[in-house]
Amino acid sequence: MKDPKGTNLTWHTGEVDLVARRRAHGHRGATLWFTGLSGSGKSTIAHRVERRLIERGAFAYVLDGDNVRHGLNRDLGFSPADRVENIRRVGEVAKLFTDAGALALTAFISPYRADRAAVRERFDAGAFVEVYIDTPLEVCESRDPKGLYRKARAGEIADFTGVSAPYEPPEAPEIRVRTAEHDVDACAAQILGWLDARGYLDGDEGETER
Amino acid sequence: MKDPKGTNLTWHTGEVDLVARRRAHGHRGATLWFTGLSGSGKSTIAHRVERRLIERGAFAYVLDGDNVRHGLNRDLGFSPADRVENIRRVGEVAKLFTDAGALALTAFISPYRADRAAVRERFDAGAFVEVYIDTPLEVCESRDPKGLYRKARAGEIADFTGVSAPYEPPEAPEIRVRTAEHDVDACAAQILGWLDARGYLDGDEGETER
């Protein structure tokens, strides 16, 4: 079929709306924003939830330091301004995944309320789910999987969250997970149960639809 | 189940590998990098392909100026350095979508070979598919959907690709689409046919598997 002048080209963008995406994927798009101390279990639990979601056929993806710091944010260091920009960009990428109909899981300490609030503001109601991995400092420090607390206590790492820099816990997180009391599968099940109960894993619009 | 010390926490990341994602989603992850002049039809065709993919149950998403320039890249202007950084970040986000098992479609003029080559280098073999929307300048200019060519010819826009700034066409794009000869659906069908023929839309590993 010929159309030399391209007059049949329509200049619409966004041919697929959120409802159609939700129906196609069998769940809504949303971001699960994990926050908590170093060693609290954010990344471990996020990856377990991701696996369970994918086993159920959902489209899920974890954004964390491993895949963001060496790629998108490799131009950023650890100055206060760069830390803010790191979280801002992660929020924007999570928003793109959410707009795409995915369940994005972000696993960053993100210690400051203001930074988390700024990300939340970019989302529609219900599309941003704050998951507070509420693990006591002494438990995180006893795990110390990367030896970072030891180095921080020895003064080898400056501004280490929980030791020499503040962590501002969420005041009203959608989900609070206590990893000192439950194992990884139980924590993941808690999060999946929360999503299930609120219709996030349904392909049809429900009360949580924006 | 109690685990007070969290000793059951395993510190693996990336519990889901690419093969498992591919099987779950029924297609491989890849980025379709559309490049072409302003008005060539990049965004229109990308959105049509996205719609067809989603209708087939695939996970697809268009990244373009509409959803990137006002969000992730809102700190960037149009200086040469900012244009390079714009394309770099889009490439990194497309890579994240690809790692997530999605089919990302990017629709940016991306006029410079070096910038496109730098993005391609970040991908595994087969995961970056360059789609050249090969529409003659005079056709783009006759469409002029946003009145930009008129302004560029009037000297109201500096460094306008094709008028007062260069466009470096791909030398060996995986797909070349001629919108002056085919309508939008035919162009979309060409791209889908290419993906189909090479196993991208299969859930099982094939010859294209990385």
Side-chain angles (χ1 to χ4, degrees):
Chain A
M1 185 170 165
K2 298 275 179 180
D3 177 30
K5 293 269 175 173
T7 45
N8 282 350
L9 283 177
T10 53
W11 299 97
H12 301 156
T13 54
E15 295 200 350
V16 184
D17 67 10
L18 288 171
V19 174
R21 284 188 197 275
R22 181 175 188 156
R23 196 167 297 128
H25 299 140
H27 58 85
R28 71 169 288 177
T31 288
L32 307 184
W33 188 276
F34 288 63
T35 175
L37 295 167
S38 178
S40 59
K42 296 180 297 299
S43 194
T44 300
I45 297 168
H47 279 98
R48 189 62 53 90
V49 173
E50 177 196 44
R51 190 169 82 183
R52 298 287 177 247
L53 287 168
I54 289 174
E55 286 168 356
R56 290 173 64 159
F59 191 81
Y61 190 61
V62 174
L63 297 164
D64 61 12
D66 286 343
N67 54 21
V68 169
R69 271 282 182 189
H70 303 295
L72 178 66
N73 291 357
R74 69 168 178 264
D75 56 322
L76 301 177
F78 292 89
S79 70
D82 279 5
R83 286 174 188 269
V84 170
E85 175 66 4
N86 181 56
I87 295 302
R88 185 191 77 81
R89 288 191 201 166
V90 170
E92 293 294 343
V93 173
K95 183 168 190 299
L96 290 168
F97 273 88
T98 299
D99 290 347
L103 292 158
L105 304 93
T106 66
F108 295 84
I109 297 173
S110 51
Y112 296 110
R113 278 190 202 115
D115 295 349
R116 298 193 302 264
V119 173
R120 183 189 287 268
E121 274 179 19
R122 297 276 299 140
F123 285 78
D124 293 326
F128 181 89
V129 178
E130 197 170 22
V131 182
Y132 176 29
I133 305 300
D134 185 7
T135 308
L137 176 63
E138 55 271 24
V139 175
C140 297
E141 195 158 357
S142 74
R143 293 174 183 166
D144 206 12
K146 299 173 189 166
L148 297 175
Y149 283 97
R150 191 184 50 69
K151 287 186 185 173
R153 293 290 180 195
E156 295 166 27
I157 303 177
D159 301 326
F160 192 79
T161 301
V163 174
S164 47
Y167 178 78
E168 299 174 353
E171 290 171 325
E174 277 78 0
I175 307 176
R176 178 188 299 260
V177 177
R178 300 181 196 277
T179 73
E181 299 170 22
H182 308 287
D183 72 2
V184 179
D185 278 322
C187 293
Q190 177 193 352
I191 294 166
L192 290 162
W194 190 96
L195 295 172
D196 245 342
R198 282 158 190 80
Y200 282 73
L201 305 183
D202 295 336
D204 292 315
E205 292 185 63
E207 288 175 50
T208 66
E209 185 60 34
R210 330 175 207 191
Chain B
M1 184 170 166
K2 298 276 181 180
D3 177 31
K5 292 268 175 174
T7 46
N8 282 350
L9 283 177
T10 53
W11 299 97
H12 302 156
T13 53
E15 296 201 350
V16 184
D17 68 11
L18 288 172
V19 174
R21 284 187 199 276
R22 181 174 188 158
R23 197 167 296 127
H25 298 140
H27 59 86
R28 71 169 289 178
T31 287
L32 306 185
W33 189 276
F34 288 64
T35 174
L37 295 168
S38 177
S40 60
K42 297 180 298 299
S43 193
T44 300
I45 297 167
H47 279 100
R48 189 61 54 89
V49 173
E50 177 196 44
R51 190 169 84 182
R52 297 288 178 248
L53 286 168
I54 289 174
E55 286 168 355
R56 291 173 62 158
F59 191 81
Y61 190 60
V62 174
L63 297 164
D64 62 11
D66 285 344
N67 55 20
V68 169
R69 270 281 182 190
H70 302 295
L72 177 66
N73 291 357
R74 70 168 177 264
D75 55 322
L76 301 177
F78 292 88
S79 71
D82 279 5
R83 287 174 187 269
V84 171
E85 174 66 4
N86 181 56
I87 294 303
R88 185 192 76 82
R89 289 191 200 167
V90 169
E92 293 294 343
V93 173
K95 183 169 190 297
L96 290 168
F97 272 88
T98 298
D99 290 346
L103 291 157
L105 305 94
T106 66
F108 294 83
I109 296 172
S110 49
Y112 296 110
R113 280 192 200 113
D115 295 349
R116 297 194 302 265
V119 172
R120 183 189 286 267
E121 275 179 17
R122 297 277 298 139
F123 286 77
D124 293 326
F128 181 89
V129 178
E130 196 169 23
V131 182
Y132 176 29
I133 306 299
D134 184 8
T135 308
L137 175 63
E138 55 272 23
V139 176
C140 297
E141 194 157 357
S142 74
R143 293 175 185 164
D144 206 11
K146 299 172 187 166
L148 297 175
Y149 284 97
R150 192 184 49 71
K151 287 185 185 173
R153 293 289 180 196
E156 295 166 26
I157 303 176
D159 301 327
F160 192 80
T161 300
V163 174
S164 46
Y167 177 78
E168 299 174 353
E171 290 171 327
E174 277 79 359
I175 306 175
R176 178 188 300 261
V177 177
R178 301 182 195 276
T179 73
E181 299 170 20
H182 308 285
D183 72 2
V184 178
D185 279 322
C187 293
Q190 178 193 352
I191 294 167
L192 290 162
W194 191 96
L195 295 172
D196 245 342
R198 284 156 188 82
Y200 283 72
L201 305 182
D202 294 336
D204 293 315
E205 294 184 63
E207 289 175 51
T208 67
E209 185 61 33
R210 333 175 203 191

